[in-house]
């Protein structure tokens, strides 16, 4: 998408993200599962890629986990820092194509040992393609090597590619009130494995906000191969954060890999 970069999504969605995607039972299950995984590497830090407004990171830190988070959007990190408990999450502006580990003043000069890294809510697919994912995975392998750490992700399972390359396009209504209409315009290119879209936010006073997004998705098998090339192996796969067994017809997966 012309004019779209690593920070665009966060900068355009930061003001509505928590309202549009509030914490729910799935969030609580995610936090509980991640806390359990973090507990398997006691004393190690946990790194969230694309930490956003801290929907997962803040409650995870409240559970006693040393959470570090990166995001390409300063606007998202400002929202996180302003939340109650947000100060417990150590953050840095960075692109997850080449992840870094934010440092606390108390870390001293020694390297920070990271026992778990994670990315949630399909956000891995915000990376612009296989090359960017491979860069992310190879950098994570180095970060996690000292602790033989793990990497957890959740994402949708893509549909079968089907025939043709023209893709699918649709305009739908996300929300509708007397003073505001939010439309969703999206196009899927099945051959390229991309979804490109805009939320068109219209207000009664004439205000218009465009909130674009772009996903480059991959199948679980593709992710297994890319992570395998970076030195990871799959250790767990569920259909959700609650641990529901993964089946061939699942539309979502939670996968945990180990260096």
């Amino acid at each position: 998408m012309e004019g779209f970069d690593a920070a665009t999504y966060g900068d355009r969605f930061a003001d509505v993200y928590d309202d549009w995607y509030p914490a729910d039972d799935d969030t609580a299950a995610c936090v509980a599962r991640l806390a359990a995984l973090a507990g398997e590497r006691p004393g190690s830090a946990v790194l969230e890629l694309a930490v956003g407004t801290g929907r997962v990171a803040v409650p995870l830190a409240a559970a006693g986990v040393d959470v570090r988070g990166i995001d390409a959007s300063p606007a998202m990190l400002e929202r996180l820092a302003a939340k109650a408990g947000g100060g417990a999450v150590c953050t840095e502006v960075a692109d997850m194509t080449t992840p870094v580990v934010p440092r606390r003043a108390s870390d001293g000069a020694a390297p920070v040992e990271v026992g778990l890294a994670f990315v949630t809510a399909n956000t891995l697919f915000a990376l612009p393609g296989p090359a960017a994912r491979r860069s992310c995975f190879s950098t994570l392998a180095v970060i996690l090597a000292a602790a033989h750490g793990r990497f957890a992700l959740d994402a949708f399972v893509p549909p079968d590619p089907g025939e043709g390359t023209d893709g699918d396009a649709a305009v739908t209504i996300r929300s509708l009130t007397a003073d505001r209409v939010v439309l969703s315009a999206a196009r899927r290119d099945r051959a390229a494995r991309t979804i490109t879209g805009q939320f068109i936010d219209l207000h009664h006073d004439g205000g218009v906000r465009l909130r674009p997004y772009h996903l480059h998705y991959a199948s679980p098998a593709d992710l297994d191969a890319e992570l395998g090339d970076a030195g990871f192996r799959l250790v767990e796969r569920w259909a959700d954060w609650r641990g529901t067994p993964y089946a061939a017809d699942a539309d979502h997966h939670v996968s945990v890999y180990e260096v």
Side-chain angles (χ1 to χ4, degrees):
M1 182 187 293
E2 183 179 353
F4 189 94
D5 61 25
T8 302
Y9 176 87
D11 287 347
R12 298 283 187 92
F13 278 81
D15 63 319
V16 296
Y17 189 87
D18 288 329
D19 290 333
W20 286 16
Y21 308 106
D24 54 17
D25 290 344
D26 289 337
T27 307
C30 174
V31 171
R33 179 72 64 178
L34 291 168
L37 290 170
E40 296 175 5
R41 302 291 191 276
S44 297
V46 171
L47 173 65
E48 181 175 5
L49 309 184
V51 67
T53 63
R55 182 173 58 94
V56 173
V58 170
L60 188 59
V65 178
D66 177 7
V67 183
R68 320 287 176 110
I70 62 168
D71 203 285
S73 167
M76 283 287 203
L77 295 184
E78 288 172 7
R79 293 271 173 169
L80 187 160
K83 285 184 174 180
V89 182
C90 180
T91 64
E92 184 173 332
V93 176
D95 186 344
M96 65 177 171
T97 303
T98 50
V100 299
V101 182
R103 299 185 64 87
R104 302 182 188 275
S106 59
D107 287 336
V112 177
E113 185 176 276
V114 178
L116 174 68
F118 70 93
V119 60
T120 68
N122 306 311
T123 310
L124 180 67
F125 295 159
L127 288 169
R133 289 197 301 270
R134 289 180 181 276
S135 173
C136 173
F137 299 156
S138 61
T139 306
L140 279 180
V142 174
I143 290 171
L144 294 168
H148 299 287
R150 291 186 170 185
F151 174 48
L153 65 92
D154 76 65
F156 65 83
V157 177
D160 292 333
E163 297 180 357
T165 60
D166 292 336
D168 310 307
V171 177
T172 58
I173 299 173
R174 187 188 192 279
S175 63
L176 176 64
T177 69
D179 294 326
R180 185 181 185 187
V181 178
V182 180
L183 303 176
S184 171
R187 180 176 60 223
R188 181 196 300 271
D189 186 327
R190 293 176 182 266
R193 294 185 166 188
T194 60
I195 301 173
T196 305
Q198 284 268 16
F199 285 105
I200 306 160
D201 198 348
L202 308 171
H203 293 253
H204 76 286
D205 60 2
V208 179
R209 289 290 303 274
L210 297 179
R211 307 183 192 275
Y213 62 91
H214 180 78
L215 302 178
H216 195 294
Y217 56 84
S219 69
D222 290 331
L223 296 177
D224 292 349
E226 292 170 4
L227 280 150
D229 289 343
F232 289 88
R233 66 181 182 91
L234 180 69
V235 293
E236 297 279 3
R237 174 163 287 147
W238 309 289
D240 54 39
W241 287 106
R242 294 178 179 83
T244 302
Y246 181 80
D249 61 350
D251 60 5
H252 194 87
H253 70 106
V254 172
S255 300
V256 181
Y257 301 85
E258 186 175 64
V259 175

